[in-house]
Amino acid sequence: MKRWIMYSACFVLSVSIYLDHIKNPTISDRGRLLPTKVKVIHNTSREENLQKWLRETDKTSKISIAGMQHSQGGHTYYPGGTVLDMKGYNKIIAFNPEEKWIRVQSGATWHDIQRVINSHGLALQVTQSQNIFTVGGSLSVNVHGRDIRHGSFIETVQSFRLLTADGTIRNVSRTENPELFSLVIGGYGLFGIVLDITLSLTNNELYQKRTHVMTYKEYTSYFRRQVEADEKVRMHMARISIEPNSFLQEMYATDYVKVDNLDHMKEYEKLKEDSNILLPKFFLGLSRYSEWGKTLFWNLQKNYFTRSQEYETRNNAMRSETAFMEYESASHTEILQEYFVPVDSFTAYIDELRAVLKQEELNVLNITIRYVKQNEEAVLSYAKEDMFAFVFLIRQGRSSKDITHTQQVIRKMINVTLSHGGSYYLPYYSYPSQAQLRAAYPRSDEFFRKKKEYDPNERFVNLFYKEYGL
């Protein structure tokens, strides 16, 4: 009898927990450091239903907009709010191969677009180096990638339509509602729901990859002379060593050089899929837990890329593998940080950053370096001049103590970045202080003031806004 009562109690408790989860689901982002209970997750696939829903929703309710949710600072949810899941809102609306543009709903992914445009010999201009993200999410963070002839994502946007807090649909471009154009792109979903976006496309070129090893002191000169000055180099990325023997000293740089002879194009133009990820996943795993693992992984990467001079199309360069980076742990997570530093400050910045990181305990797994041209169209622009972007992959614990420690180190790193005239990227955890945000983004006060003008009831919110805007 007692056992039956115990089983019944457990069953009732389980059902109660399940129903509570359905009623008030807990949501988090990829880093899993900010689990938050929300009111409901609302899915959408039709514009008219979405507009009707927004007009009929209580004006005091809080709405956050979500795509693939790869941001790491709670940019897609809010405590007790409604999460608007846009992944089902993903149609290709119009495509003009001759004029090289495409219009898509904001929930479409880069993969969706590539499947349409690749057979027409066209490619994307600016994306991340992976194609798994939604276009609306990419617009909201104003992404950048490996392309060095285009700058930030905002350069490729011709126009978009925005569903604002009062239920009105506005056409937005550089000539129509231009203020919203500069606020919404890189605006983290705080001004309304982006319905669809018209993007400029470019040719799907064939590249041959070349990789050179150098010291960090040689890199700026190498980039100026052999990358920026060579019009045939269309894309570029570099990595700097995080292994103990050459920490922030040795580098390798990979250039994507346009091939004029297109005899190989047919051979390489098929869109590639993920291949064998077991080896890179294994060696990355070793580097998480040991210094010798970092040394082994660094030397393997360096040797592989310097020996490989393979061909790759532009579209395939924008669909790199990510599965090998997937990481599950009950006690740890992996976060991203990204800092932007003027090109001519590179060497001095590395020296000062190295001094800080040698004094601090921070498990840095990778630092990738990209180039971003100056573009200040967005109010929250990170590229105040031509910049090198440093993307850090960091393993950290999930306890309160670990989070506090990581925040302290990251604030020191940001201070170094700011002292060299740099800035940092906003889609990640809210480790930076309010003062650091204002220093990196001088127009942030204007941004939050305009947000309240366009959305006086503050219907569109997220944890980023809760931290810095309220």
Side-chain angles (χ1 to χ4, degrees):
M1 183 69 175
K2 289 182 179 179
R3 181 175 294 179
W4 182 86
I5 294 173
M6 182 180 69
Y7 287 158
S8 299
C10 289
F11 175 76
V12 171
L13 179 61
S14 298
V15 171
S16 176
I17 292 172
Y18 174 75
L19 291 176
D20 179 67
H21 175 73
I22 296 297
K23 185 178 178 182
N24 297 288
T26 298
I27 194 169
S28 191
D29 50 36
R30 290 287 167 157
R32 297 173 291 116
L33 288 181
L34 297 170
T36 300
K37 276 199 170 187
V38 299
K39 181 180 179 180
V40 67
I41 299 174
H42 182 77
N43 298 293
T44 185
S45 61
R46 296 176 63 86
E47 178 182 309
E48 55 270 27
N49 294 345
L50 181 57
Q51 187 177 28
K52 182 175 183 288
W53 169 80
L54 183 64
R55 286 174 171 171
E56 294 177 353
T57 301
D58 183 353
K59 299 299 185 289
T60 63
S61 64
K62 303 303 181 184
I63 301 170
S64 302
I65 306 165
M68 300 303 292
Q69 293 188 282
H70 276 259
S71 58
Q72 292 186 335
H75 298 73
T76 59
Y77 50 91
Y78 189 83
T82 296
V83 174
L84 180 59
D85 184 347
M86 299 295 288
K87 291 193 292 293
Y89 193 77
N90 58 2
K91 292 184 174 60
I92 307 294
I93 299 172
F95 172 43
N96 190 319
E98 292 74 27
E99 296 182 10
K100 299 181 183 178
W101 60 261
I102 192 167
R103 186 164 75 250
V104 301
Q105 291 181 331
S106 57
T109 65
W110 296 119
H111 174 69
D112 295 332
I113 295 177
Q114 286 182 324
R115 285 190 305 173
V116 172
I117 67 176
N118 188 65
S119 61
H120 294 268
L122 295 175
L124 304 164
Q125 288 189 354
V126 174
T127 72
Q128 305 92 321
S129 52
Q130 294 85 32
N131 71 343
I132 60 176
F133 307 102
T134 64
V135 181
S138 299
L139 180 143
S140 76
V141 302
N142 192 21
V143 299
H144 67 93
R146 296 176 182 175
D147 185 280
I148 64 171
R149 304 304 168 185
H150 302 91
S152 308
F153 178 68
I154 194 170
E155 292 186 19
T156 77
V157 179
Q158 294 184 11
S159 63
F160 57 89
R161 291 191 308 138
L162 183 73
L163 178 58
T164 57
D166 61 1
T168 301
I169 296 177
R170 302 195 191 194
N171 297 318
V172 182
S173 68
R174 290 175 177 83
T175 57
E176 192 172 4
N177 293 305
E179 185 175 66
L180 278 171
F181 188 85
S182 63
L183 288 164
V184 175
I185 302 179
Y188 298 89
L190 294 174
F191 289 84
I193 304 165
V194 175
L195 297 175
D196 50 67
I197 307 160
T198 302
L199 297 170
S200 297
L201 302 172
T202 190
N203 294 326
N204 187 27
E205 300 169 328
L206 181 65
Y207 304 134
Q208 185 171 26
K209 294 194 285 188
R210 69 182 187 198
T211 299
H212 298 279
V213 177
M214 65 199 73
T215 68
Y216 77 104
K217 292 182 178 180
E218 300 172 295
Y219 179 62
T220 302
S221 177
Y222 170 85
F223 181 83
R224 291 289 197 202
R225 295 178 182 177
Q226 298 193 46
V227 179
E228 188 179 32
D230 185 351
E231 280 296 322
K232 286 191 174 183
V233 179
R234 301 303 178 91
M235 305 176 78
H236 171 83
M237 57 84 70
R239 287 194 175 96
I240 189 165
S241 172
I242 48 85
E243 67 93 15
N245 299 320
S246 58
F247 184 67
L248 298 191
Q249 298 272 355
E250 189 178 37
M251 297 181 62
Y252 66 84
T254 300
D255 307 324
Y256 295 73
V257 185
K258 182 184 176 184
V259 177
D260 292 325
N261 185 345
L262 297 182
D263 291 342
H264 296 289
M265 190 66 175
K266 285 289 183 185
E267 182 181 351
Y268 293 96
E269 66 183 355
K270 182 180 178 181
L271 294 177
K272 67 181 183 182
E273 303 297 337
D274 278 358
S275 56
N276 190 348
I277 63 169
L278 294 180
L279 280 178
K281 190 176 183 69
F282 172 75
F283 288 115
L284 178 59
L286 291 179
S287 72
R288 289 185 175 110
Y289 303 106
S290 65
E291 298 297 277
W292 67 265
K294 287 181 170 62
T295 299
L296 177 62
F297 193 34
W298 170 255
N299 288 327
L300 285 171
Q301 288 182 92
K302 180 180 62 177
N303 292 334
Y304 172 79
F305 285 109
T306 51
R307 292 175 182 174
S308 174
Q309 303 292 325
E310 62 185 10
Y311 294 94
E312 191 167 44
T313 64
R314 182 181 185 85
N315 273 329
N316 279 328
M318 292 177 168
R319 51 192 293 119
S320 299
E321 297 172 359
T322 57
F324 79 93
M325 296 176 63
E326 292 177 0
Y327 177 62
E328 294 291 336
S329 169
S331 60
H332 286 76
T333 189
E334 289 174 0
I335 67 166
L336 293 171
Q337 285 285 292
E338 185 167 358
Y339 308 135
F340 302 90
V341 176
V343 170
D344 292 332
S345 298
F346 179 86
T347 303
Y349 174 69
I350 291 294
D351 285 333
E352 194 170 344
L353 186 66
R354 186 189 309 108
V356 169
L357 290 178
K358 282 194 170 183
Q359 293 176 354
E360 303 291 344
E361 186 176 335
L362 192 70
N363 192 357
V364 180
L365 301 178
N366 184 72
I367 305 174
T368 299
I369 299 167
R370 301 190 181 108
Y371 169 75
V372 187
K373 290 172 61 177
Q374 179 182 9
N375 187 300
E376 297 184 83
E377 276 193 282
V379 172
L380 294 184
S381 172
Y382 45 77
K384 295 172 285 188
E385 54 184 286
D386 293 348
M387 300 278 203
F388 284 132
F390 297 76
V391 184
F392 290 74
L393 178 64
I394 300 166
R395 182 176 182 264
Q396 70 158 86
R398 299 178 64 187
S399 70
S400 298
K401 181 180 177 181
D402 290 326
I403 291 171
T404 299
H405 171 72
T406 302
Q407 181 185 59
Q408 291 170 347
V409 177
I410 282 176
R411 287 188 175 185
K412 291 181 181 180
M413 294 167 68
I414 291 175
N415 282 338
V416 172
T417 304
L418 295 173
S419 72
H420 288 274
S423 59
Y424 65 91
Y425 205 18
L426 295 173
Y428 304 124
Y429 288 113
S430 55
Y431 287 146
S433 67
Q434 288 273 1
Q436 287 176 325
L437 175 73
R438 290 188 177 92
Y441 293 88
R443 299 179 68 186
S444 58
D445 286 341
E446 173 193 350
F447 175 85
F448 291 122
R449 186 176 66 254
K450 289 292 182 182
K451 188 274 189 295
K452 291 181 174 68
E453 288 180 15
Y454 282 102
D455 183 12
N457 292 322
E458 295 178 310
R459 301 188 72 186
F460 296 106
V461 292
N462 52 35
L463 292 186
F464 167 75
Y465 183 66
K466 183 174 183 286
E467 180 70 25
Y468 297 106
L470 290 175

